[in-house]
Amino acid sequence: MPIRTYAANFPDSFLFWGGVEHVSPDFIPEADVAVVSPPCQRFSKLGKGQAGLDHALSVHIVRIILKSNCQAVLFENVPEYYQSRGFEMIKELLTPFKYWVPFELNPYDMGGIASRPRKYCVAFRERVPFRIPQLPKVRKRPKVADFLDEKPVMSWREKAGSTMAYFEGAHAAKYAHTGFAKSELTLVTPDSSRVACFAKEYFKISRTCSYLQHDKEANLWRPFSVSEVARMMNLPDWFEIPSDIPLSLGYKILGEGMDGLPTKAIAVELSAALVGQQIKKLFSVSQVEEFHLPLTETDGQFELVF
């Protein structure tokens, strides 16, 4: 389903319909940058905590990166992933990449509304002038109302007898001793300026995700629509999930995706670093020494000739 979504939004792209372990070297095109975002469920605090079972894919990730002849690699995942054997293996095998720059970003700290802390790492073959994106001074926070559909497509639900009532009642009492029984972001209003991370379990109704409470009737709530979630994750207006994909999978695709704010900021810095490196090579010291300005002398004055 993620591949179908990618194909719908980037119809002219090169796609391989299968797992990374099945990609033949003949199908790997050259690229400037490779983006690697392995499944995070085994490492995430919200996942199953079965880290260490997926590192066999690391070998295939490495061979794809090397075959692409890319100059930089961007990794995105939850912070716990970078302590795994899988990432350690990737670093050991990617011997041509000598420079690694790790950093963390949260779109909420960049002016977004959704909190989605992620750790990134950029690897380069050569030392380049890459700068970690700077956090802006957020002067005005967006509100949930700014991202809502003009015509709501999700129906309101009664809180009584629903999963939401369970979260506020029996669930809260049962897990009160853990400190994770209640989240202030599970139910938000149109005036709220912060929402929780949208996980792939959103369709199943998760306490750790955010849902919309009616601004006038406190007993009514509803899930955010797929388009509303996409906007709160700062995806471009033209992005869409094919209409024939089930709603549950639409939420899953978004929950496993990357937020647009940090992704765009990193892409800009990556582009500047790689272009800057090319310019530096183009105008190396030896070339500058051989370069002569086209000057001519007229009446004792030097003039630049075009």
Side-chain angles (χ1 to χ4, degrees), residues 55-249:
H55 62 268
L57 294 179
S58 297
V59 175
H60 299 287
I61 292 174
V62 168
R63 69 180 181 85
I64 292 174
I65 292 173
L66 295 178
K67 181 64 176 179
S68 72
N69 199 32
C70 63
Q71 299 303 305
V73 187
L74 168 62
F75 295 88
E76 182 269 355
N77 218 302
V78 295
E80 292 79 7
Y81 167 74
Y82 298 90
Q83 305 299 320
S84 69
R85 173 56 182 151
F87 183 69
E88 180 184 43
M89 185 182 297
I90 289 176
K91 290 192 69 174
E92 291 174 352
L93 297 176
L94 282 181
T95 54
F97 291 82
K98 307 296 184 182
Y99 303 94
W100 297 72
V101 184
F103 55 95
E104 295 187 32
L105 290 175
N106 187 337
Y108 181 78
D109 298 329
M110 305 177 76
I113 194 171
S115 178
R116 194 180 182 85
R118 290 292 184 270
K119 185 171 183 178
Y120 303 85
C121 189
V122 185
F124 298 96
R125 294 177 183 267
E126 304 176 27
R127 187 184 295 276
V128 299
F130 175 76
R131 298 181 62 179
I132 298 173
Q134 295 182 343
L135 298 180
K137 294 182 179 180
V138 182
R139 293 182 172 84
K140 185 179 180 181
R141 285 281 178 189
K143 294 184 177 181
V144 168
D146 300 329
F147 303 92
L148 300 180
D149 297 326
E150 292 185 7
K151 295 182 179 180
V153 298
M154 304 299 292
S155 301
W156 293 101
R157 306 181 184 185
E158 292 278 353
K159 185 181 294 185
S162 70
T163 305
M164 205 59 65
Y166 168 71
F167 288 152
E168 295 183 344
H171 182 274
K174 182 178 180 180
Y175 296 100
H177 65 285
T178 66
F180 295 97
K182 184 179 179 181
S183 171
E184 296 180 353
L185 298 179
T186 303
L187 281 177
V188 296
T189 68
D191 287 331
S192 299
S193 58
R194 185 169 188 164
V195 298
C197 174
F198 293 101
K200 72 184 187 71
E201 298 86 2
Y202 189 78
F203 182 77
K204 299 179 181 179
I205 312 303
S206 171
R207 179 191 59 80
T208 57
C209 297
S210 289
Y211 301 85
L212 183 63
Q213 180 170 295
H214 200 285
D215 58 340
K216 296 180 179 179
E217 299 183 44
N219 64 318
L220 295 180
W221 68 280
R222 70 169 176 84
F224 289 105
S225 69
V226 167
S227 57
E228 290 169 341
V229 173
R231 284 194 286 272
M232 284 188 276
M233 290 184 62
N234 303 291
L235 300 182
D237 294 336
W238 48 262
F239 175 84
E240 63 177 358
I241 291 180
S243 58
D244 59 334
I245 290 182
L247 185 62
S248 60
L249 292 180

Side-chain angles (χ1 to χ4, degrees), residues 283-296:
F283 295 98
S284 62
V285 176
S286 60
Q287 290 173 311
V288 171
E289 291 177 348
E290 297 174 359
F291 184 76
H292 300 283
L293 288 174
L295 298 176
T296 182

